[in-house]
Amino acid sequence: MKGFSIGSIFRDNCNTLVIVLGSTVFDLGKLLAASGADSLPSGFGLSEMLDDWATWFPRIKQAVELGESQGSGGIDAYRIADVSEVAWRAPILKPRKLICMGTNYAGHATEVSSDPLKAPYSFIKSSSNTLRGSGATITLLDIANMNDWEVELAVVIGKAARRVDVALAMDYVAGYSIINDVSARDWVASSPKFLGIDWVVGKSIDGYAPMGPTFTPAEFVADPQNLNLELTVNGKVMQRGNTSQMVFNIAEIIAHLSRIMTLEPGDIIASGTPEGTGFGHKPPVWLKDGDIVHCTIDGLGTLENKFVR
Ligand code: MG
């Protein structure tokens, strides 16, 4: 079947789950109901679906296939709008964990003068206050002056993973999205020597993890290790890379993290960023009032956000 992605939008002040086919947004709840599936419980989002993804994904596929086969009497009746016309929320609103990989592209490691990694390097970003949807305006932290961008492939976990082997690790991926791992670099580097980097202040600021526009199921991403990533600021290309350049690939990251902690459905792993961050430019370039950032990954769409003071 043709691929689709799943997202969340604001509609009539409510969260509405949608699917995107081509450039058109359809009401997922109504599509499921029309296919005979149980109606979605109130407040049900992608997070809840991912808790039972093995049940929900086939159900959604079936509903889409049925709706498409019925044409104007089917899926067309549930059209909401064009993708450019809706107010996106982050596709996953309540992940249990948001884990970020540091310097997982050699070019970025070089530009921040980091030693090559001997093992995957990770940190936790607060998952309850940082996520925003595509189109959201993000307020830069008033006490930070070195605010930086990082386009990353977001890997979304689809079933509990504990001590999984590299060879089986991709079975635990439900799908992918785009995330901008925004940083306040002046706070990342501001700590005493013994304590090291303050990842909390540098990374967990409100709105500093815009994500989306949607979530694309893994089945529709032919090779997640061969996707071009690009980030522009006000139309100027700042970052360009390919997921083939990851130091530790997705399977290796999942195997590593799942040895430390149980990865749970809906957990998001931001898999690292290629070179071209603001910090890496000479002289450095930081986000400023009014900047518009576009993050694009092959097949996953474009995440757009405006940053303001
Ligand atoms: Mg990052």
Side-chain angles (χ1 to χ4, degrees), residues 12-28:
D12 303 328
N13 290 322
C14 289
N15 184 55
T16 302
L17 267 176
V18 299
I19 71 152
V20 177
L21 280 152
S23 62
T24 310
V25 178
F26 299 92
D27 189 314
L28 178 53

Side-chain angles (χ1 to χ4, degrees), residues 100-102 123 150 152 181 203 270 272-273:
C100 300
M101 308 311 297
F123 59 92
E150 294 180 0
E152 308 197 12
D181 173 23
K203 291 284 190 175
T273 199

Side-chain angles (χ1 to χ4, degrees), residues 279-293:
F279 186 86
H281 282 73
K282 306 254 179 312
V285 184
W286 308 118
L287 287 168
K288 60 184 188 309
D289 184 38
D291 279 350
I292 294 175
V293 176

